Structure formats: C-alpha cells, structure tokens
Amino acid sequence: MNDFSIPMALVDYIPVVLFAVASFILLSDLYGKMTKGAYALFAAGLIDVAIAGALKATWKLLYASGACNFEALDAMFFPVQSIGFLLAGIGILLMLVKKNGEAKLLAVAPPVFSGTFVFVGLMVAGLGIMDAVLSILAAKLKKPLFIAIFALSFVCSLCMGYLSSQNFAEAAMNWITEGVNVVGQGAFLAGVILLHKNGLPTIELSKGEEA
C-alpha cells in the first residue's frame, strides 16, 4: 500500500509546472530554427512529458484523497514520459544536424520494452540530449556558467532514474524523489530563462547546425 498524502500529491505538480514553463519558452525561442519535422518531434516530446507528469500527480492526488486508485494513470507514466523525452531530445538534436540542406534523421533502433529500466533509460537519454544541446547553445552565447545549471538538471535526472527503482510505497522515498525532481526541473527552467534573456531567441546557427 502506498503511503501518499494530499500535500505530497500537490507538491508533485510543482516540477510539472516548472517543466511546462521551460518548454513554452523553448518552443517560442527555437521556433523557426528547426525544420517542421524536427520542431514537431520536439514539441510532441515536451507535451508528452508534461502530460505524463500531470497525470502521475493526478493519480497520487486521487489516491491520497481516497477518491480512487486510477491505476492506468500510474502505469502509463514511464512509457509516455520516457518516449516524450526521447522525441524531444531527437528533435532538438536535429536542429544542430544538417546535411545537403536537409535534416538528417538519426538512426534509432527500436527499443525493447522490458520493464521500467528501458523507460528510465530512454528518459535519461532524451533529457541528456536536450541538456547537451542547450549547453552547446549556452557556449555559443558565451555563457559557459549556464552549462553548470543544465549539468545539475541532468544529474538530477540520473538520480531520478536510480530512485525509480526504489520502494515508492514509503512516504520518505516519495518526498526525496519529489525533492530531487523539483530541483532538477527548477534548474532546467532557470537555465532556459537565462538563455532566453541572454540571446536565445535571436541566436544565429551556422549552416552546418541549422536545420
């Protein structure tokens, strides 16, 4: 039996909101810097991640309030969020990849779905790609200190991957996980805001990087 409380469930919405705000800023700043296909992948991935997080938080709220145990909302979290991160990562990476005037699609082998470990791997890979590309953009804007912020975001995502294998039935583990998630998404949002204020909307990509 899960040891959830209503305050715990409400706190779970915080990283969702932080990520959603960061996503909105990125979608606005990077519009026009990607091909339609790459932008569609990026947008779809970010939307998937936000929806998955919101539904998981809603499951906790329903469970904690005693309304019901809507198991589907919990079960879909890892598949939807991990694939969302992967799509977003591929989409933003395509922005830096161009060959003969056309976006070069990356060869991605079909993932083997064998439990949550696969989904955690996809989630970490997708977020890692996004953090790496945003770090490259920070370097181009001559703001190397911003890279540390995205590095913190990625480290938190690695911690989330580890924590996902622990016993979530304990309240303490849930609070720790939510704390790490809030810090990670808060760092991601802070980095995005700093990029936005320091030239991301007007950054010019070279021909070899613009797609």
Short mmCIF file of all heavy atoms in Angstrom, two decimals, residues 27-99:
data_model
loop_
_atom_site.label_atom_id
_atom_site.label_comp_id
_atom_site.label_asym_id
_atom_site.label_seq_id
_atom_site.Cartn_x
_atom_site.Cartn_y
_atom_site.Cartn_z
N LEU A 27 10.00 26.40 -26.86
CA LEU A 27 9.23 26.30 -28.10
C LEU A 27 9.09 27.66 -28.77
O LEU A 27 9.08 27.76 -30.00
CB LEU A 27 7.84 25.71 -27.81
CG LEU A 27 7.82 24.23 -27.45
CD1 LEU A 27 6.42 23.80 -27.01
CD2 LEU A 27 8.27 23.39 -28.65
N SER A 28 9.01 28.70 -27.97
CA SER A 28 8.92 30.05 -28.52
C SER A 28 10.26 30.52 -29.08
O SER A 28 10.32 31.05 -30.20
CB SER A 28 8.45 31.03 -27.43
OG SER A 28 8.43 32.36 -27.91
N ASP A 29 11.33 30.29 -28.33
CA ASP A 29 12.65 30.78 -28.74
C ASP A 29 13.21 30.01 -29.94
O ASP A 29 13.95 30.59 -30.76
CB ASP A 29 13.64 30.69 -27.58
CG ASP A 29 13.37 31.73 -26.50
OD1 ASP A 29 12.52 32.60 -26.73
OD2 ASP A 29 14.00 31.65 -25.43
N LEU A 30 12.92 28.73 -30.03
CA LEU A 30 13.52 27.89 -31.07
C LEU A 30 12.63 27.74 -32.31
O LEU A 30 13.02 27.09 -33.27
CB LEU A 30 13.86 26.51 -30.51
CG LEU A 30 14.86 26.50 -29.35
CD1 LEU A 30 15.11 25.08 -28.87
CD2 LEU A 30 16.17 27.17 -29.75
N TYR A 31 11.47 28.36 -32.27
CA TYR A 31 10.59 28.30 -33.44
C TYR A 31 11.26 29.01 -34.62
O TYR A 31 11.77 30.10 -34.50
CB TYR A 31 9.26 28.97 -33.15
CG TYR A 31 8.27 28.89 -34.29
CD1 TYR A 31 7.58 27.71 -34.55
CD2 TYR A 31 8.05 29.99 -35.12
CE1 TYR A 31 6.68 27.63 -35.60
CE2 TYR A 31 7.16 29.92 -36.17
CZ TYR A 31 6.47 28.73 -36.41
OH TYR A 31 5.59 28.66 -37.46
N GLY A 32 11.29 28.36 -35.75
CA GLY A 32 11.95 28.95 -36.92
C GLY A 32 13.39 28.52 -37.06
O GLY A 32 14.02 28.78 -38.09
N LYS A 33 13.95 27.90 -36.01
CA LYS A 33 15.33 27.43 -36.07
C LYS A 33 15.41 25.94 -36.38
O LYS A 33 16.50 25.38 -36.46
CB LYS A 33 16.05 27.73 -34.75
CG LYS A 33 16.22 29.22 -34.47
CD LYS A 33 16.93 29.45 -33.15
CE LYS A 33 17.25 30.93 -32.95
NZ LYS A 33 16.06 31.76 -32.87
N MET A 34 14.25 25.31 -36.54
CA MET A 34 14.19 23.88 -36.85
C MET A 34 13.34 23.65 -38.09
O MET A 34 12.55 24.51 -38.48
CB MET A 34 13.55 23.09 -35.69
CG MET A 34 14.20 23.22 -34.34
SD MET A 34 13.27 22.22 -33.12
CE MET A 34 14.22 22.51 -31.65
N THR A 35 13.51 22.50 -38.71
CA THR A 35 12.58 22.11 -39.75
C THR A 35 11.24 21.82 -39.08
O THR A 35 11.17 21.62 -37.86
CB THR A 35 13.06 20.85 -40.49
OG1 THR A 35 13.14 19.76 -39.54
CG2 THR A 35 14.42 21.07 -41.13
N LYS A 36 10.20 21.77 -39.87
CA LYS A 36 8.89 21.48 -39.31
C LYS A 36 8.87 20.11 -38.64
O LYS A 36 8.24 19.92 -37.60
CB LYS A 36 7.82 21.55 -40.40
CG LYS A 36 7.58 22.97 -40.93
CD LYS A 36 6.49 22.97 -41.99
CE LYS A 36 6.24 24.39 -42.49
NZ LYS A 36 5.19 24.43 -43.54
N GLY A 37 9.55 19.14 -39.25
CA GLY A 37 9.58 17.80 -38.68
C GLY A 37 10.28 17.75 -37.34
O GLY A 37 9.80 17.13 -36.38
N ALA A 38 11.45 18.42 -37.26
CA ALA A 38 12.20 18.44 -36.01
C ALA A 38 11.42 19.18 -34.93
O ALA A 38 11.38 18.74 -33.77
CB ALA A 38 13.56 19.11 -36.23
N TYR A 39 10.79 20.29 -35.31
CA TYR A 39 10.02 21.07 -34.33
C TYR A 39 8.83 20.26 -33.84
O TYR A 39 8.48 20.30 -32.66
CB TYR A 39 9.55 22.37 -34.97
CG TYR A 39 8.93 23.35 -33.98
CD1 TYR A 39 9.73 24.16 -33.20
CD2 TYR A 39 7.55 23.43 -33.83
CE1 TYR A 39 9.18 25.05 -32.28
CE2 TYR A 39 6.99 24.32 -32.92
CZ TYR A 39 7.80 25.12 -32.15
OH TYR A 39 7.24 25.99 -31.24
N ALA A 40 8.20 19.50 -34.76
CA ALA A 40 7.06 18.67 -34.37
C ALA A 40 7.49 17.60 -33.37
O ALA A 40 6.79 17.34 -32.38
CB ALA A 40 6.44 18.03 -35.60
N LEU A 41 8.65 16.97 -33.61
CA LEU A 41 9.17 15.97 -32.67
C LEU A 41 9.45 16.60 -31.32
O LEU A 41 9.09 16.05 -30.27
CB LEU A 41 10.46 15.35 -33.22
CG LEU A 41 10.35 14.29 -34.31
CD1 LEU A 41 11.73 13.88 -34.78
CD2 LEU A 41 9.58 13.07 -33.81
N PHE A 42 10.09 17.76 -31.34
CA PHE A 42 10.46 18.45 -30.11
C PHE A 42 9.21 18.84 -29.32
O PHE A 42 9.11 18.57 -28.12
CB PHE A 42 11.27 19.70 -30.47
CG PHE A 42 11.83 20.43 -29.28
CD1 PHE A 42 12.61 19.78 -28.34
CD2 PHE A 42 11.59 21.79 -29.11
CE1 PHE A 42 13.14 20.46 -27.25
CE2 PHE A 42 12.11 22.48 -28.03
CZ PHE A 42 12.89 21.81 -27.09
N ALA A 43 8.23 19.44 -30.02
CA ALA A 43 7.00 19.87 -29.34
C ALA A 43 6.21 18.68 -28.81
O ALA A 43 5.73 18.70 -27.67
CB ALA A 43 6.14 20.69 -30.32
N ALA A 44 6.09 17.64 -29.63
CA ALA A 44 5.34 16.45 -29.21
C ALA A 44 5.99 15.81 -27.99
O ALA A 44 5.30 15.38 -27.06
CB ALA A 44 5.25 15.44 -30.35
N GLY A 45 7.32 15.77 -27.98
CA GLY A 45 8.02 15.18 -26.85
C GLY A 45 7.81 15.96 -25.57
O GLY A 45 7.52 15.37 -24.52
N LEU A 46 7.93 17.29 -25.66
CA LEU A 46 7.74 18.12 -24.47
C LEU A 46 6.31 18.01 -23.95
O LEU A 46 6.09 17.95 -22.73
CB LEU A 46 8.06 19.58 -24.79
CG LEU A 46 9.52 19.90 -25.14
CD1 LEU A 46 9.67 21.38 -25.46
CD2 LEU A 46 10.45 19.51 -24.01
N ILE A 47 5.35 17.98 -24.86
CA ILE A 47 3.95 17.85 -24.44
C ILE A 47 3.71 16.50 -23.77
O ILE A 47 3.02 16.41 -22.75
CB ILE A 47 3.02 18.02 -25.66
CG1 ILE A 47 3.08 19.47 -26.15
CG2 ILE A 47 1.58 17.65 -25.30
CD1 ILE A 47 2.36 19.70 -27.47
N ASP A 48 4.29 15.43 -24.34
CA ASP A 48 4.15 14.10 -23.74
C ASP A 48 4.69 14.07 -22.32
O ASP A 48 4.06 13.52 -21.41
CB ASP A 48 4.92 13.06 -24.58
CG ASP A 48 4.14 12.62 -25.79
OD1 ASP A 48 2.98 13.06 -25.95
OD2 ASP A 48 4.69 11.85 -26.61
N VAL A 49 5.86 14.68 -22.12
CA VAL A 49 6.49 14.69 -20.80
C VAL A 49 5.61 15.43 -19.79
O VAL A 49 5.37 14.95 -18.67
CB VAL A 49 7.88 15.34 -20.86
CG1 VAL A 49 8.44 15.52 -19.45
CG2 VAL A 49 8.83 14.49 -21.69
N ALA A 50 5.11 16.60 -20.18
CA ALA A 50 4.28 17.40 -19.28
C ALA A 50 2.98 16.67 -18.94
O ALA A 50 2.55 16.65 -17.77
CB ALA A 50 3.98 18.75 -19.92
N ILE A 51 2.36 16.06 -19.94
CA ILE A 51 1.11 15.34 -19.70
C ILE A 51 1.33 14.15 -18.78
O ILE A 51 0.56 13.90 -17.85
CB ILE A 51 0.48 14.89 -21.03
CG1 ILE A 51 -0.05 16.12 -21.79
CG2 ILE A 51 -0.65 13.89 -20.79
CD1 ILE A 51 -0.61 15.78 -23.16
N ALA A 52 2.41 13.40 -19.04
CA ALA A 52 2.71 12.23 -18.21
C ALA A 52 2.90 12.63 -16.75
O ALA A 52 2.39 11.99 -15.83
CB ALA A 52 3.95 11.52 -18.74
N GLY A 53 3.65 13.72 -16.54
CA GLY A 53 3.87 14.18 -15.17
C GLY A 53 2.60 14.64 -14.49
O GLY A 53 2.36 14.35 -13.32
N ALA A 54 1.75 15.35 -15.25
CA ALA A 54 0.49 15.84 -14.69
C ALA A 54 -0.45 14.69 -14.34
O ALA A 54 -1.11 14.71 -13.29
CB ALA A 54 -0.20 16.78 -15.68
N LEU A 55 -0.49 13.67 -15.19
CA LEU A 55 -1.36 12.53 -14.92
C LEU A 55 -0.86 11.72 -13.72
O LEU A 55 -1.67 11.22 -12.93
CB LEU A 55 -1.46 11.64 -16.16
CG LEU A 55 -2.19 12.25 -17.36
CD1 LEU A 55 -2.21 11.28 -18.53
CD2 LEU A 55 -3.61 12.65 -16.99
N LYS A 56 0.47 11.60 -13.59
CA LYS A 56 1.02 10.88 -12.43
C LYS A 56 0.69 11.62 -11.14
O LYS A 56 0.30 11.01 -10.13
CB LYS A 56 2.53 10.73 -12.59
CG LYS A 56 3.23 10.01 -11.43
CD LYS A 56 2.78 8.56 -11.32
CE LYS A 56 3.54 7.82 -10.22
NZ LYS A 56 4.92 7.46 -10.60
N ALA A 57 0.82 12.96 -11.17
CA ALA A 57 0.48 13.75 -9.99
C ALA A 57 -1.00 13.64 -9.67
O ALA A 57 -1.41 13.57 -8.50
CB ALA A 57 0.86 15.21 -10.21
N THR A 58 -1.82 13.58 -10.71
CA THR A 58 -3.27 13.44 -10.52
C THR A 58 -3.60 12.09 -9.91
O THR A 58 -4.48 11.98 -9.04
CB THR A 58 -4.01 13.60 -11.86
OG1 THR A 58 -3.73 14.91 -12.39
CG2 THR A 58 -5.51 13.44 -11.68
N TRP A 59 -2.88 11.05 -10.34
CA TRP A 59 -3.08 9.71 -9.75
C TRP A 59 -2.78 9.75 -8.25
O TRP A 59 -3.55 9.21 -7.44
CB TRP A 59 -2.17 8.69 -10.43
CG TRP A 59 -2.11 7.38 -9.69
CD1 TRP A 59 -3.11 6.45 -9.57
CD2 TRP A 59 -1.00 6.88 -8.94
NE1 TRP A 59 -2.68 5.40 -8.79
CE2 TRP A 59 -1.40 5.63 -8.39
CE3 TRP A 59 0.28 7.36 -8.68
CZ2 TRP A 59 -0.54 4.87 -7.60
CZ3 TRP A 59 1.13 6.59 -7.90
CH2 TRP A 59 0.71 5.36 -7.36
N LYS A 60 -1.68 10.39 -7.89
CA LYS A 60 -1.33 10.49 -6.47
C LYS A 60 -2.40 11.24 -5.69
O LYS A 60 -2.75 10.88 -4.57
CB LYS A 60 0.02 11.19 -6.30
CG LYS A 60 1.22 10.34 -6.66
CD LYS A 60 2.51 11.05 -6.28
CE LYS A 60 3.73 10.18 -6.57
NZ LYS A 60 4.99 10.86 -6.19
N LEU A 61 -2.92 12.33 -6.29
CA LEU A 61 -3.93 13.13 -5.61
C LEU A 61 -5.22 12.34 -5.41
O LEU A 61 -5.83 12.37 -4.33
CB LEU A 61 -4.22 14.40 -6.41
CG LEU A 61 -5.19 15.40 -5.78
CD1 LEU A 61 -4.66 15.86 -4.43
CD2 LEU A 61 -5.40 16.59 -6.70
N LEU A 62 -5.62 11.61 -6.44
CA LEU A 62 -6.83 10.79 -6.33
C LEU A 62 -6.64 9.69 -5.28
O LEU A 62 -7.55 9.40 -4.49
CB LEU A 62 -7.17 10.16 -7.68
CG LEU A 62 -7.63 11.12 -8.79
CD1 LEU A 62 -7.76 10.37 -10.12
CD2 LEU A 62 -8.96 11.76 -8.42
N TYR A 63 -5.45 9.09 -5.28
CA TYR A 63 -5.15 8.02 -4.33
C TYR A 63 -5.13 8.57 -2.89
O TYR A 63 -5.73 8.00 -1.98
CB TYR A 63 -3.81 7.39 -4.68
CG TYR A 63 -3.51 6.11 -3.94
CD1 TYR A 63 -3.63 4.88 -4.58
CD2 TYR A 63 -3.08 6.12 -2.61
CE1 TYR A 63 -3.33 3.70 -3.91
CE2 TYR A 63 -2.79 4.95 -1.94
CZ TYR A 63 -2.92 3.74 -2.59
OH TYR A 63 -2.64 2.58 -1.92
N ALA A 64 -4.43 9.68 -2.70
CA ALA A 64 -4.28 10.25 -1.36
C ALA A 64 -5.60 10.74 -0.80
O ALA A 64 -5.85 10.67 0.41
CB ALA A 64 -3.27 11.40 -1.38
N SER A 65 -6.48 11.25 -1.68
CA SER A 65 -7.77 11.78 -1.22
C SER A 65 -8.78 10.68 -0.96
O SER A 65 -9.85 10.92 -0.38
CB SER A 65 -8.34 12.75 -2.26
OG SER A 65 -8.66 12.06 -3.46
N GLY A 66 -8.45 9.45 -1.37
CA GLY A 66 -9.36 8.34 -1.18
C GLY A 66 -10.44 8.25 -2.24
O GLY A 66 -11.35 7.42 -2.13
N ALA A 67 -10.32 9.06 -3.30
CA ALA A 67 -11.32 9.04 -4.37
C ALA A 67 -11.28 7.72 -5.12
O ALA A 67 -12.31 7.06 -5.32
CB ALA A 67 -11.10 10.21 -5.32
N CYS A 68 -10.10 7.33 -5.58
CA CYS A 68 -9.93 6.06 -6.28
C CYS A 68 -8.46 5.82 -6.55
O CYS A 68 -7.63 6.73 -6.44
CB CYS A 68 -10.71 6.04 -7.60
SG CYS A 68 -10.07 7.18 -8.85
N ASN A 69 -8.13 4.58 -6.90
CA ASN A 69 -6.79 4.22 -7.32
C ASN A 69 -6.83 4.03 -8.84
O ASN A 69 -7.03 2.94 -9.34
CB ASN A 69 -6.32 2.94 -6.63
CG ASN A 69 -4.92 2.53 -7.05
OD1 ASN A 69 -4.21 3.29 -7.72
ND2 ASN A 69 -4.52 1.33 -6.68
N PHE A 70 -6.65 5.12 -9.59
CA PHE A 70 -6.74 5.09 -11.05
C PHE A 70 -5.42 4.56 -11.59
O PHE A 70 -4.52 5.30 -12.00
CB PHE A 70 -7.00 6.51 -11.58
CG PHE A 70 -7.58 6.56 -12.96
CD1 PHE A 70 -8.29 7.68 -13.37
CD2 PHE A 70 -7.41 5.52 -13.86
CE1 PHE A 70 -8.84 7.74 -14.65
CE2 PHE A 70 -7.95 5.57 -15.13
CZ PHE A 70 -8.66 6.68 -15.52
N GLU A 71 -5.28 3.25 -11.61
CA GLU A 71 -4.00 2.60 -11.89
C GLU A 71 -3.44 2.94 -13.26
O GLU A 71 -2.23 2.97 -13.46
CB GLU A 71 -4.14 1.09 -11.75
CG GLU A 71 -4.40 0.64 -10.31
CD GLU A 71 -4.47 -0.88 -10.19
OE1 GLU A 71 -4.78 -1.53 -11.21
OE2 GLU A 71 -4.19 -1.39 -9.09
N ALA A 72 -4.30 3.18 -14.25
CA ALA A 72 -3.84 3.46 -15.61
C ALA A 72 -2.98 4.73 -15.64
O ALA A 72 -2.00 4.82 -16.40
CB ALA A 72 -5.01 3.61 -16.56
N LEU A 73 -3.32 5.72 -14.82
CA LEU A 73 -2.55 6.96 -14.79
C LEU A 73 -1.13 6.73 -14.29
O LEU A 73 -0.19 7.39 -14.72
CB LEU A 73 -3.24 8.01 -13.91
CG LEU A 73 -4.66 8.43 -14.33
CD1 LEU A 73 -5.18 9.51 -13.39
CD2 LEU A 73 -4.66 8.92 -15.77
N ASP A 74 -0.99 5.79 -13.37
CA ASP A 74 0.32 5.44 -12.85
C ASP A 74 1.09 4.57 -13.84
O ASP A 74 2.28 4.80 -14.10
CB ASP A 74 0.17 4.70 -11.52
CG ASP A 74 1.50 4.28 -10.92
OD1 ASP A 74 2.47 5.04 -11.05
OD2 ASP A 74 1.56 3.19 -10.32
N ALA A 75 0.40 3.60 -14.44
CA ALA A 75 1.06 2.65 -15.34
C ALA A 75 1.59 3.32 -16.61
O ALA A 75 2.61 2.89 -17.16
CB ALA A 75 0.09 1.53 -15.72
N MET A 76 0.92 4.36 -17.08
CA MET A 76 1.33 4.99 -18.34
C MET A 76 2.46 6.00 -18.16
O MET A 76 3.03 6.49 -19.15
CB MET A 76 0.13 5.70 -18.97
CG MET A 76 -0.35 6.92 -18.22
SD MET A 76 -1.86 7.66 -18.91
CE MET A 76 -1.26 8.23 -20.50
N PHE A 77 2.82 6.32 -16.92
CA PHE A 77 3.79 7.39 -16.67
C PHE A 77 5.13 7.13 -17.35
O PHE A 77 5.60 7.96 -18.15
CB PHE A 77 4.00 7.56 -15.16
CG PHE A 77 5.10 8.52 -14.81
CD1 PHE A 77 4.95 9.88 -15.02
CD2 PHE A 77 6.30 8.06 -14.28
CE1 PHE A 77 5.97 10.77 -14.70
CE2 PHE A 77 7.32 8.94 -13.96
CZ PHE A 77 7.15 10.29 -14.16
N PHE A 78 5.78 6.01 -17.04
CA PHE A 78 7.09 5.75 -17.61
C PHE A 78 7.08 5.63 -19.13
O PHE A 78 7.93 6.25 -19.80
CB PHE A 78 7.72 4.50 -16.98
CG PHE A 78 8.52 4.79 -15.75
CD1 PHE A 78 8.24 4.15 -14.56
CD2 PHE A 78 9.56 5.71 -15.78
CE1 PHE A 78 8.97 4.43 -13.42
CE2 PHE A 78 10.30 5.99 -14.64
CZ PHE A 78 10.01 5.34 -13.46
N PRO A 79 6.17 4.86 -19.74
CA PRO A 79 6.17 4.77 -21.21
C PRO A 79 5.99 6.12 -21.89
O PRO A 79 6.73 6.47 -22.81
CB PRO A 79 5.00 3.83 -21.51
CG PRO A 79 4.83 3.02 -20.28
CD PRO A 79 5.17 3.95 -19.15
N VAL A 80 5.00 6.90 -21.43
CA VAL A 80 4.71 8.18 -22.09
C VAL A 80 5.84 9.19 -21.86
O VAL A 80 6.30 9.85 -22.79
CB VAL A 80 3.37 8.75 -21.60
CG1 VAL A 80 3.13 10.15 -22.18
CG2 VAL A 80 2.22 7.83 -22.01
N GLN A 81 6.30 9.32 -20.61
CA GLN A 81 7.33 10.32 -20.32
C GLN A 81 8.66 9.97 -20.96
O GLN A 81 9.34 10.85 -21.50
CB GLN A 81 7.51 10.51 -18.82
CG GLN A 81 8.45 11.68 -18.50
CD GLN A 81 8.56 11.96 -17.03
OE1 GLN A 81 9.24 11.25 -16.32
NE2 GLN A 81 7.92 13.02 -16.57
N SER A 82 9.06 8.71 -20.91
CA SER A 82 10.36 8.34 -21.46
C SER A 82 10.39 8.54 -22.97
O SER A 82 11.37 9.07 -23.52
CB SER A 82 10.70 6.89 -21.11
OG SER A 82 9.70 6.00 -21.61
N ILE A 83 9.33 8.13 -23.65
CA ILE A 83 9.27 8.33 -25.11
C ILE A 83 9.21 9.82 -25.42
O ILE A 83 9.79 10.29 -26.40
CB ILE A 83 8.06 7.58 -25.70
CG1 ILE A 83 8.28 6.07 -25.57
CG2 ILE A 83 7.86 7.95 -27.17
CD1 ILE A 83 7.09 5.23 -25.98
N GLY A 84 8.52 10.59 -24.57
CA GLY A 84 8.46 12.03 -24.77
C GLY A 84 9.84 12.67 -24.69
O GLY A 84 10.21 13.50 -25.53
N PHE A 85 10.61 12.29 -23.67
CA PHE A 85 11.97 12.83 -23.55
C PHE A 85 12.83 12.44 -24.75
O PHE A 85 13.62 13.26 -25.25
CB PHE A 85 12.63 12.32 -22.27
CG PHE A 85 12.38 13.18 -21.06
CD1 PHE A 85 11.79 12.65 -19.92
CD2 PHE A 85 12.73 14.52 -21.05
CE1 PHE A 85 11.56 13.43 -18.80
CE2 PHE A 85 12.50 15.32 -19.94
CZ PHE A 85 11.91 14.78 -18.81
N LEU A 86 12.67 11.21 -25.22
CA LEU A 86 13.46 10.77 -26.36
C LEU A 86 13.10 11.56 -27.62
O LEU A 86 13.97 12.01 -28.36
CB LEU A 86 13.24 9.27 -26.61
CG LEU A 86 14.12 8.65 -27.69
CD1 LEU A 86 15.59 8.75 -27.31
CD2 LEU A 86 13.73 7.19 -27.92
N LEU A 87 11.81 11.77 -27.86
CA LEU A 87 11.37 12.55 -29.03
C LEU A 87 11.89 13.99 -28.94
O LEU A 87 12.37 14.55 -29.93
CB LEU A 87 9.84 12.55 -29.12
CG LEU A 87 9.16 11.24 -29.49
CD1 LEU A 87 7.64 11.40 -29.46
CD2 LEU A 87 9.61 10.76 -30.86
N ALA A 88 11.77 14.58 -27.75
CA ALA A 88 12.24 15.96 -27.57
C ALA A 88 13.75 16.04 -27.78
O ALA A 88 14.25 17.00 -28.40
CB ALA A 88 11.86 16.47 -26.18
N GLY A 89 14.48 15.06 -27.28
CA GLY A 89 15.92 15.04 -27.44
C GLY A 89 16.33 14.93 -28.90
O GLY A 89 17.22 15.64 -29.38
N ILE A 90 15.67 14.03 -29.64
CA ILE A 90 15.97 13.87 -31.07
C ILE A 90 15.61 15.15 -31.83
O ILE A 90 16.35 15.61 -32.70
CB ILE A 90 15.21 12.67 -31.66
CG1 ILE A 90 15.75 11.36 -31.05
CG2 ILE A 90 15.33 12.63 -33.18
CD1 ILE A 90 14.98 10.13 -31.46
N GLY A 91 14.46 15.73 -31.48
CA GLY A 91 14.01 16.94 -32.18
C GLY A 91 14.99 18.09 -32.04
O GLY A 91 15.35 18.74 -33.02
N ILE A 92 15.46 18.34 -30.81
CA ILE A 92 16.38 19.47 -30.60
C ILE A 92 17.76 19.16 -31.15
O ILE A 92 18.48 20.06 -31.61
CB ILE A 92 16.46 19.86 -29.11
CG1 ILE A 92 17.06 21.25 -28.95
CG2 ILE A 92 17.23 18.83 -28.31
CD1 ILE A 92 16.98 21.79 -27.53
N LEU A 93 18.14 17.87 -31.18
CA LEU A 93 19.44 17.50 -31.75
C LEU A 93 19.43 17.71 -33.26
O LEU A 93 20.45 18.13 -33.84
CB LEU A 93 19.76 16.04 -31.41
CG LEU A 93 21.13 15.53 -31.88
CD1 LEU A 93 22.25 16.37 -31.23
CD2 LEU A 93 21.30 14.06 -31.53
N LEU A 94 18.30 17.46 -33.90
CA LEU A 94 18.20 17.67 -35.34
C LEU A 94 18.41 19.13 -35.72
O LEU A 94 18.77 19.44 -36.86
CB LEU A 94 16.83 17.19 -35.85
CG LEU A 94 16.62 15.67 -35.92
CD1 LEU A 94 15.19 15.35 -36.33
CD2 LEU A 94 17.60 15.04 -36.88
N MET A 95 18.17 20.02 -34.76
CA MET A 95 18.39 21.44 -35.02
C MET A 95 19.87 21.72 -35.32
O MET A 95 20.19 22.65 -36.05
CB MET A 95 17.95 22.26 -33.80
CG MET A 95 18.10 23.77 -33.95
SD MET A 95 17.57 24.66 -32.46
CE MET A 95 18.85 24.13 -31.30
N LEU A 96 20.75 20.89 -34.75
CA LEU A 96 22.18 21.09 -34.94
C LEU A 96 22.75 20.23 -36.06
O LEU A 96 23.95 20.29 -36.33
CB LEU A 96 22.94 20.77 -33.64
CG LEU A 96 22.58 21.61 -32.41
CD1 LEU A 96 23.44 21.20 -31.24
CD2 LEU A 96 22.73 23.09 -32.70
N VAL A 97 21.91 19.41 -36.66
CA VAL A 97 22.39 18.47 -37.68
C VAL A 97 21.78 18.79 -39.02
O VAL A 97 20.56 18.87 -39.15
CB VAL A 97 22.05 17.00 -37.29
CG1 VAL A 97 22.56 16.04 -38.35
CG2 VAL A 97 22.64 16.67 -35.94
N LYS A 98 22.61 18.96 -40.04
CA LYS A 98 22.11 19.26 -41.38
C LYS A 98 23.07 18.68 -42.41
O LYS A 98 24.27 18.77 -42.26
CB LYS A 98 21.97 20.77 -41.58
CG LYS A 98 21.30 21.15 -42.89
CD LYS A 98 21.14 22.65 -42.98
CE LYS A 98 20.44 23.04 -44.28
NZ LYS A 98 20.30 24.50 -44.43
N LYS A 99 22.49 18.10 -43.44
CA LYS A 99 23.31 17.54 -44.49
C LYS A 99 22.65 17.82 -45.83
O LYS A 99 21.52 17.43 -46.06
CB LYS A 99 23.50 16.03 -44.30
CG LYS A 99 24.42 15.39 -45.35
CD LYS A 99 24.59 13.92 -45.06
CE LYS A 99 25.53 13.28 -46.07
NZ LYS A 99 25.72 11.84 -45.82
#
